[in-house]
Amino acid sequence: MTARQLLDLLVDPGTFHSWDEPVTTAYADPGYRDALARARARTGLDEAVLTGRALLDGRPIALVACEFAFLGGSIGVATAERITRAVERATAERLPLLALPVSGGTRMQEGSAAFLCMVRVTAAVHAHRTAGLPYLTYLRNPTMGGVFASWGTLGHLVLAEPGARLGFLGPRVYEELRGEPLPPTVQRAETLAAHGRLDAIVPPERLRAFLARALTVLTARPAATPAPASTPTPVPAPLPVPEPTPVPSDAWESVLLSRRPDRLTALELLYHAAESFLPLDGDSALVRGLALIGGHPVMVVAQQRQGPDQPQLPVTAADLRAVRRQAQIAEELGMPLLTVVDTTGAELSIEAELDGVALEIAHCLTTLVGLRTPVLAVLLGQGSGGGALALLPADRVLAAQHAWLAPLPPEGASAIVHRDGDHAPQLARSQGITATDLTATGLVDQVVPEGADPAELRDCLAAAVTTALAELTRLPDAERLAARAARNRRLGGPSSPGDPR
């Protein structure tokens, strides 16, 4: 598919307006000049990229689209300058930007000068992101080399064409340098998605609808900040939420209830709470997505319990890296972050140790503690170990009545203390793991009661999430961050009876 064909597929008819200015750079090498002339005659383009502005489902958007038929979509100095100017103009006009790269990389005929231009483009993209503007990329087949290793993969959302070859080193170069062929699956979009390197694999014919849904969230205007006290503005009444009933629950009963196959899952909660929810790809214990909840654009990371006939997936180092990436994107775009905790724990294996799962838990904790955007956490079900703790630093934490948090599953704690698993109920009851116990330690701010009908918990939690997000986004940043710092200082309860914390 050519660049023009893809643009015709994506944008509203008749709305594309080109930003491209004629290329005037002259090159000394006659062979290169001839190659450029042939590429221009073959494609009808003067360079390997088209840029401009259009409407996508009625929303204005800036576009950068590469053309592979023009010298393999390679990026020379003039190409990079055109891309850079388009990114800068998108930033100046405060437009979301969609990049559609397909490229063999930087243009070999221009050597280091073209290679260095990847820094030029990246700097412009960084300024666009720093301005709080969405940057989306759709990697086409193939996207390689310096393009893949710079502006092609810097999107707030990184999407890819099915089956696309994506990577740094081309297969011919790899074989020449290493003396063996590159395994064919290494640089496939599906392989990268399985390792958490992509947000979604989208066929071209579905891309317009996917982008329209994403832009619905990313370009939504957050609720207005309340007016100063001198000109009071009526505050909408919060959605009705049942009064918390922190009736102490039996800890072991809560553990067993949290493991029931019919228990509410994170996805069921999110689809019910959100006016619009766009899940991103991922074959793991983590669900990532964009949501509109109570009119607020929200970045979501949620631990999803598997079905009754499926093994429960542990939290991996890759999952935790994805949490950190989503949190940082939420901060760039000024969106609240919603985390949902329901996990049997982090992966316990040699591979996990080598992949740094413990380090990723630490990095996740410090990322969420320092995030400047509002953070709301929901303790939905099982909260086992560091895999759960990593998603719980927040401005406010809601908990289902039978949710729990413990350093290990009770069976694991029993194995440590009693050298068997038979004392799990006793350990659960002695460790203070229930939602009610966790209010006393300063973690949980609201316990949402559960009835016999799972739909009751779903409705009550959805209403509580909507209300909490509205309240957090109304708070001035300085006030909210000061409250978070004080909250974190108190977590765990006083260290001694006389401790004022």
Side-chain angles (χ1 to χ4, degrees):
M1 188 177 292
T2 68
R4 292 190 186 279
Q5 288 171 334
L6 183 56
L7 291 178
D8 288 343
L9 191 67
L10 294 180
V11 306
D12 300 353
T15 64
F16 180 74
H17 172 69
S18 176
W19 286 346
D20 297 338
E21 299 175 358
V23 175
T24 57
T25 307
Y27 298 98
D29 182 358
Y32 181 33
R33 290 202 306 268
D34 290 345
L36 287 170
R38 290 193 298 271
R40 287 164 181 159
R42 182 170 57 250
T43 63
L45 305 177
D46 63 350
E47 251 302 345
V49 67
L50 296 173
T51 71
R53 171 183 176 140
L55 297 180
L56 195 159
D57 198 31
R59 293 181 178 84
I61 187 169
L63 298 131
V64 171
C66 290
E67 175 53 68
F68 193 74
F70 195 107
L71 299 183
S74 58
I75 307 299
V77 175
T79 334
E81 178 62 16
R82 178 171 287 179
I83 296 169
T84 302
R85 290 185 182 186
V87 176
E88 291 171 341
R89 184 164 176 178
T91 307
E93 297 186 12
R94 299 204 58 80
L95 293 173
L97 175 60
L98 171 63
L100 304 161
V102 55
S103 175
T106 55
R107 197 165 290 172
M108 292 300 102
Q109 296 92 330
E110 298 185 32
S112 295
F115 188 48
L116 286 171
C117 282
M118 296 305 95
V119 178
R120 178 192 302 187
V121 178
T122 298
V125 167
H126 175 74
H128 186 82
R129 290 181 49 144
T130 302
L133 298 168
Y135 176 56
L136 315 178
T137 61
Y138 181 63
L139 308 180
R140 297 150 65 203
N141 184 30
T143 302
M144 306 295 295
V147 174
F148 181 78
S150 61
W151 57 276
T153 47
L154 291 177
H156 292 115
L157 291 183
V158 181
L159 318 175
E161 182 181 358
R165 179 180 286 278
L166 310 172
F168 186 52
L169 195 61
R172 282 184 297 176
V173 178
Y174 180 91
E175 188 167 359
E176 177 66 27
L177 295 178
R178 301 294 298 272
E180 59 183 5
L182 181 70
T185 59
V186 169
Q187 293 182 329
R188 293 297 176 197
E190 289 74 12
T191 304
L192 294 178
H195 285 79
R197 305 303 186 191
L198 302 176
D199 294 306
I201 297 177
V202 188
E205 63 272 14
R206 288 181 44 216
L207 184 58
R208 173 183 164 88
F210 187 99
L211 292 170
R213 292 182 64 192
L215 290 171
T216 296
V217 177
L218 295 175
T219 61
R221 293 180 178 274
T225 304
S230 57
T231 56
T233 301
V235 177
L239 293 177
V241 180
E243 285 297 318
T245 56
V247 177
S249 302
D250 178 77
W252 184 242
E253 179 188 5
S254 289
V255 170
L256 297 179
L257 287 172
S258 72
R259 295 171 175 173
R260 283 175 55 111
D262 63 345
R263 186 171 175 80
L264 179 71
T265 67
L267 276 176
E268 290 168 343
L269 171 63
L270 292 168
Y271 275 114
H272 189 70
E275 301 93 78
S276 175
F277 177 61
L278 178 62
L280 304 173
D281 276 355
D283 184 18
S284 70
L286 189 73
V287 170
R288 298 172 296 128
L290 304 171
L292 274 181
I293 301 177
H296 295 277
V298 180
M299 190 70 71
V300 176
V301 287
Q303 293 163 338
Q304 171 69 7
R305 187 166 42 82
Q306 305 302 301
D309 299 324
Q310 299 172 287
Q312 299 305 305
L313 297 175
V315 175
T316 66
D319 292 332
L320 296 170
R321 284 191 287 268
V323 171
R324 288 198 290 131
R325 177 172 178 265
Q326 298 303 111
Q328 290 158 356
I329 290 171
E331 181 164 88
E332 276 193 9
L333 295 175
M335 299 168 62
L337 177 70
L338 171 63
T339 70
V340 183
V341 173
D342 189 1
T343 180
T344 56
E347 183 180 8
L348 305 175
S349 68
I350 295 173
E351 292 78 9
E353 292 289 334
L354 295 175
D355 201 20
V357 67
L359 276 68
E360 291 302 332
I361 291 171
H363 291 320
C364 233
L365 289 171
T366 192
T367 296
L368 266 61
V369 163
L371 208 65
R372 297 193 62 80
T373 198
V375 184
L376 174 65
V378 176
L379 183 57
L380 180 60
Q382 300 184 80
S384 181
L389 189 68
L391 270 67
L392 283 172
D395 297 297
R396 190 169 301 179
V397 177
L398 312 176
Q401 182 180 349
H402 292 298
W404 54 275
L405 176 72
L408 284 173
E411 295 87 345
S414 175
I416 290 176
V417 177
H418 298 286
R419 299 182 181 276
D420 62 45
D422 299 338
H423 294 77
Q426 175 185 333
L427 262 293
R429 293 173 181 130
S430 67
Q431 285 189 308
I433 70 174
T434 69
T436 304
D437 295 328
L438 295 170
T439 60
T441 58
L443 175 71
V444 172
D445 299 284
Q446 180 180 349
V447 178
V448 178
E450 300 188 36
D453 184 358
E456 182 180 336
L457 174 61
R458 180 198 66 193
D459 295 345
C460 292
L461 261 179
V465 165
T466 303
T467 300
L469 282 171
E471 292 172 352
L472 287 175
T473 53
R474 282 199 294 263
L475 285 174
D477 286 351
E479 181 180 335
R480 178 176 47 75
L481 293 173
R484 182 194 295 174
R487 169 197 177 85
N488 291 338
R489 185 67 177 84
R490 294 191 301 266
L491 279 176
S495 58
S496 66
D499 192 328
R501 291 177 293 162

mmCIF file of all heavy atoms in Angstrom, residues 3 35 49 52 56 75 95 103 108 116 127 148 162 166 171 200 221 255 260 264 273 322 369 371 392 441 469 485:
data_model
loop_
_atom_site.group_PDB
_atom_site.id
_atom_site.type_symbol
_atom_site.label_atom_id
_atom_site.label_comp_id
_atom_site.label_asym_id
_atom_site.label_seq_id
_atom_site.Cartn_x
_atom_site.Cartn_y
_atom_site.Cartn_z
ATOM 1 N N ALA A 3 1.850 5.348 0.311
ATOM 2 C CA ALA A 3 1.528 6.358 1.323
ATOM 3 C C ALA A 3 0.188 7.022 1.015
ATOM 4 O O ALA A 3 -0.642 7.211 1.919
ATOM 5 C CB ALA A 3 2.644 7.396 1.390
ATOM 6 N N ALA A 35 19.488 7.889 -9.097
ATOM 7 C CA ALA A 35 18.563 7.064 -8.304
ATOM 8 C C ALA A 35 17.392 7.900 -7.808
ATOM 9 O O ALA A 35 16.233 7.447 -7.819
ATOM 10 C CB ALA A 35 19.314 6.425 -7.135
ATOM 11 N N VAL A 49 8.671 10.818 1.858
ATOM 12 C CA VAL A 49 7.705 11.076 2.917
ATOM 13 C C VAL A 49 6.708 12.132 2.477
ATOM 14 O O VAL A 49 7.051 13.072 1.733
ATOM 15 C CB VAL A 49 8.431 11.507 4.224
ATOM 16 C CG1 VAL A 49 9.107 12.861 4.054
ATOM 17 C CG2 VAL A 49 7.488 11.521 5.414
ATOM 18 N N GLY A 52 1.376 16.467 6.293
ATOM 19 C CA GLY A 52 0.253 17.388 6.149
ATOM 20 C C GLY A 52 -0.729 17.265 7.290
ATOM 21 O O GLY A 52 -0.470 16.612 8.307
ATOM 22 N N LEU A 56 -9.573 13.124 10.771
ATOM 23 C CA LEU A 56 -9.788 11.693 10.930
ATOM 24 C C LEU A 56 -11.019 11.522 11.808
ATOM 25 O O LEU A 56 -10.992 11.864 12.992
ATOM 26 C CB LEU A 56 -8.566 11.021 11.558
ATOM 27 C CG LEU A 56 -8.483 9.495 11.477
ATOM 28 C CD1 LEU A 56 -7.040 9.017 11.643
ATOM 29 C CD2 LEU A 56 -9.360 8.818 12.524
ATOM 30 N N ILE A 75 15.560 7.402 4.861
ATOM 31 C CA ILE A 75 15.496 8.770 5.362
ATOM 32 C C ILE A 75 16.839 9.463 5.141
ATOM 33 O O ILE A 75 17.854 9.109 5.752
ATOM 34 C CB ILE A 75 15.138 8.796 6.864
ATOM 35 C CG1 ILE A 75 13.857 7.990 7.120
ATOM 36 C CG2 ILE A 75 14.981 10.238 7.347
ATOM 37 C CD1 ILE A 75 12.630 8.498 6.414
ATOM 38 N N LEU A 95 -1.701 19.917 17.468
ATOM 39 C CA LEU A 95 -2.409 18.818 16.827
ATOM 40 C C LEU A 95 -1.843 17.478 17.288
ATOM 41 O O LEU A 95 -0.621 17.337 17.457
ATOM 42 C CB LEU A 95 -2.255 18.898 15.306
ATOM 43 C CG LEU A 95 -2.911 20.072 14.590
ATOM 44 C CD1 LEU A 95 -2.494 20.071 13.120
ATOM 45 C CD2 LEU A 95 -4.429 19.989 14.716
ATOM 46 N N SER A 103 10.215 1.796 6.219
ATOM 47 C CA SER A 103 11.542 2.268 5.836
ATOM 48 C C SER A 103 12.591 1.205 6.095
ATOM 49 O O SER A 103 12.507 0.452 7.068
ATOM 50 C CB SER A 103 11.888 3.526 6.641
ATOM 51 O OG SER A 103 13.203 3.955 6.397
ATOM 52 N N MET A 108 21.800 5.225 3.069
ATOM 53 C CA MET A 108 23.235 4.910 3.051
ATOM 54 C C MET A 108 24.023 5.874 2.171
ATOM 55 O O MET A 108 25.189 6.180 2.440
ATOM 56 C CB MET A 108 23.458 3.479 2.572
ATOM 57 C CG MET A 108 22.956 2.402 3.524
ATOM 58 S SD MET A 108 23.728 2.433 5.168
ATOM 59 C CE MET A 108 22.446 3.206 6.166
ATOM 60 N N LEU A 116 22.624 11.019 11.658
ATOM 61 C CA LEU A 116 22.517 11.989 12.751
ATOM 62 C C LEU A 116 21.177 12.714 12.759
ATOM 63 O O LEU A 116 20.741 13.212 13.794
ATOM 64 C CB LEU A 116 23.658 13.004 12.665
ATOM 65 C CG LEU A 116 25.029 12.484 13.085
ATOM 66 C CD1 LEU A 116 26.101 13.495 12.744
ATOM 67 C CD2 LEU A 116 25.028 12.160 14.577
ATOM 68 N N ALA A 127 9.836 17.270 21.945
ATOM 69 C CA ALA A 127 9.190 18.555 22.235
ATOM 70 C C ALA A 127 7.670 18.443 22.065
ATOM 71 O O ALA A 127 6.904 19.034 22.849
ATOM 72 C CB ALA A 127 9.750 19.635 21.312
ATOM 73 N N PHE A 148 13.312 2.675 13.097
ATOM 74 C CA PHE A 148 12.756 1.846 14.161
ATOM 75 C C PHE A 148 13.367 2.219 15.509
ATOM 76 O O PHE A 148 12.681 2.196 16.537
ATOM 77 C CB PHE A 148 13.014 0.368 13.853
ATOM 78 C CG PHE A 148 12.463 -0.581 14.880
ATOM 79 C CD1 PHE A 148 11.119 -0.904 14.911
ATOM 80 C CD2 PHE A 148 13.300 -1.164 15.819
ATOM 81 C CE1 PHE A 148 10.613 -1.776 15.853
ATOM 82 C CE2 PHE A 148 12.809 -2.042 16.772
ATOM 83 C CZ PHE A 148 11.451 -2.353 16.789
ATOM 84 N N PRO A 162 -0.021 -6.226 10.776
ATOM 85 C CA PRO A 162 0.204 -7.668 10.981
ATOM 86 C C PRO A 162 1.322 -8.196 10.096
ATOM 87 O O PRO A 162 1.427 -7.855 8.919
ATOM 88 C CB PRO A 162 -1.140 -8.295 10.589
ATOM 89 C CG PRO A 162 -2.139 -7.205 10.767
ATOM 90 C CD PRO A 162 -1.419 -5.927 10.424
ATOM 91 N N LEU A 166 10.007 -5.804 11.754
ATOM 92 C CA LEU A 166 10.373 -4.643 12.560
ATOM 93 C C LEU A 166 11.658 -4.956 13.299
ATOM 94 O O LEU A 166 11.746 -5.976 13.995
ATOM 95 C CB LEU A 166 9.269 -4.322 13.576
ATOM 96 C CG LEU A 166 7.832 -4.214 13.041
ATOM 97 C CD1 LEU A 166 6.843 -4.086 14.189
ATOM 98 C CD2 LEU A 166 7.700 -3.044 12.082
ATOM 99 N N PRO A 171 18.100 -8.325 7.815
ATOM 100 C CA PRO A 171 18.532 -9.724 7.764
ATOM 101 C C PRO A 171 19.757 -9.958 6.898
ATOM 102 O O PRO A 171 20.607 -10.794 7.227
ATOM 103 C CB PRO A 171 17.298 -10.453 7.207
ATOM 104 C CG PRO A 171 16.450 -9.397 6.585
ATOM 105 C CD PRO A 171 16.722 -8.143 7.343
ATOM 106 N N ALA A 200 -0.493 -2.557 20.004
ATOM 107 C CA ALA A 200 -1.557 -3.256 19.284
ATOM 108 C C ALA A 200 -1.092 -3.574 17.878
ATOM 109 O O ALA A 200 -0.315 -2.823 17.280
ATOM 110 C CB ALA A 200 -2.836 -2.418 19.237
ATOM 111 N N ARG A 221 -11.255 16.632 26.493
ATOM 112 C CA ARG A 221 -10.901 17.704 27.425
ATOM 113 C C ARG A 221 -11.220 17.258 28.845
ATOM 114 O O ARG A 221 -12.363 16.900 29.135
ATOM 115 C CB ARG A 221 -11.699 18.977 27.109
ATOM 116 C CG ARG A 221 -11.331 19.605 25.767
ATOM 117 C CD ARG A 221 -12.160 20.855 25.526
ATOM 118 N NE ARG A 221 -11.804 21.493 24.275
ATOM 119 C CZ ARG A 221 -10.811 22.362 24.143
ATOM 120 N NH1 ARG A 221 -10.095 22.693 25.190
ATOM 121 N NH2 ARG A 221 -10.545 22.910 22.970
ATOM 122 N N VAL A 255 -10.016 -14.786 51.172
ATOM 123 C CA VAL A 255 -9.066 -15.385 50.237
ATOM 124 C C VAL A 255 -9.785 -16.360 49.310
ATOM 125 O O VAL A 255 -9.600 -16.339 48.080
ATOM 126 C CB VAL A 255 -7.928 -16.095 51.000
ATOM 127 C CG1 VAL A 255 -7.072 -16.928 50.046
ATOM 128 C CG2 VAL A 255 -7.056 -15.077 51.719
ATOM 129 N N ARG A 260 -12.788 -17.306 43.504
ATOM 130 C CA ARG A 260 -13.928 -17.938 42.830
ATOM 131 C C ARG A 260 -13.903 -17.629 41.333
ATOM 132 O O ARG A 260 -13.597 -16.489 40.927
ATOM 133 C CB ARG A 260 -15.240 -17.416 43.424
ATOM 134 C CG ARG A 260 -15.602 -18.007 44.778
ATOM 135 C CD ARG A 260 -16.844 -17.332 45.331
ATOM 136 N NE ARG A 260 -17.954 -17.422 44.377
ATOM 137 C CZ ARG A 260 -19.047 -18.153 44.571
ATOM 138 N NH1 ARG A 260 -19.172 -18.861 45.679
ATOM 139 N NH2 ARG A 260 -20.012 -18.142 43.680
ATOM 140 N N LEU A 264 -15.827 -10.958 39.932
ATOM 141 C CA LEU A 264 -15.655 -9.820 39.031
ATOM 142 C C LEU A 264 -14.203 -9.708 38.579
ATOM 143 O O LEU A 264 -13.279 -9.780 39.390
ATOM 144 C CB LEU A 264 -16.083 -8.541 39.749
ATOM 145 C CG LEU A 264 -15.966 -7.226 38.974
ATOM 146 C CD1 LEU A 264 -17.025 -7.167 37.877
ATOM 147 C CD2 LEU A 264 -16.125 -6.032 39.931
ATOM 148 N N ALA A 273 -17.554 0.563 33.894
ATOM 149 C CA ALA A 273 -17.331 1.899 34.456
ATOM 150 C C ALA A 273 -17.109 2.954 33.382
ATOM 151 O O ALA A 273 -17.403 4.138 33.595
ATOM 152 C CB ALA A 273 -16.132 1.870 35.405
ATOM 153 N N ALA A 322 5.806 -2.347 31.259
ATOM 154 C CA ALA A 322 4.656 -1.751 30.579
ATOM 155 C C ALA A 322 3.886 -0.821 31.510
ATOM 156 O O ALA A 322 3.396 0.231 31.089
ATOM 157 C CB ALA A 322 3.727 -2.854 30.054
ATOM 158 N N VAL A 369 5.095 6.462 42.883
ATOM 159 C CA VAL A 369 5.222 7.388 44.007
ATOM 160 C C VAL A 369 5.502 8.807 43.510
ATOM 161 O O VAL A 369 4.977 9.789 44.036
ATOM 162 C CB VAL A 369 6.345 6.910 44.959
ATOM 163 C CG1 VAL A 369 6.782 8.032 45.895
ATOM 164 C CG2 VAL A 369 5.871 5.716 45.778
ATOM 165 N N LEU A 371 4.848 10.084 40.434
ATOM 166 C CA LEU A 371 4.030 10.543 39.316
ATOM 167 C C LEU A 371 3.261 11.804 39.714
ATOM 168 O O LEU A 371 2.658 11.871 40.778
ATOM 169 C CB LEU A 371 3.043 9.439 38.917
ATOM 170 C CG LEU A 371 2.583 9.413 37.467
ATOM 171 C CD1 LEU A 371 3.740 9.122 36.536
ATOM 172 C CD2 LEU A 371 1.492 8.358 37.287
ATOM 173 N N LEU A 392 0.131 -0.327 43.680
ATOM 174 C CA LEU A 392 -0.713 0.264 44.723
ATOM 175 C C LEU A 392 -0.311 1.655 45.210
ATOM 176 O O LEU A 392 -1.115 2.301 45.890
ATOM 177 C CB LEU A 392 -0.802 -0.687 45.924
ATOM 178 C CG LEU A 392 -1.756 -1.870 45.721
ATOM 179 C CD1 LEU A 392 -1.639 -2.862 46.862
ATOM 180 C CD2 LEU A 392 -3.190 -1.385 45.582
ATOM 181 N N THR A 441 -4.067 0.362 58.316
ATOM 182 C CA THR A 441 -2.659 0.587 58.002
ATOM 183 C C THR A 441 -2.457 1.753 57.055
ATOM 184 O O THR A 441 -1.328 2.066 56.679
ATOM 185 C CB THR A 441 -2.042 -0.681 57.368
ATOM 186 O OG1 THR A 441 -2.788 -1.017 56.197
ATOM 187 C CG2 THR A 441 -2.070 -1.841 58.336
ATOM 188 N N LEU A 469 -12.279 9.522 40.779
ATOM 189 C CA LEU A 469 -11.553 10.215 39.718
ATOM 190 C C LEU A 469 -11.973 11.675 39.622
ATOM 191 O O LEU A 469 -11.136 12.566 39.451
ATOM 192 C CB LEU A 469 -11.793 9.511 38.378
ATOM 193 C CG LEU A 469 -10.994 8.229 38.128
ATOM 194 C CD1 LEU A 469 -11.489 7.525 36.876
ATOM 195 C CD2 LEU A 469 -9.505 8.538 38.007
ATOM 196 N N ALA A 485 2.235 12.608 49.704
ATOM 197 C CA ALA A 485 3.470 12.437 50.469
ATOM 198 C C ALA A 485 3.170 12.104 51.933
ATOM 199 O O ALA A 485 3.797 11.222 52.530
ATOM 200 C CB ALA A 485 4.318 13.709 50.374
#
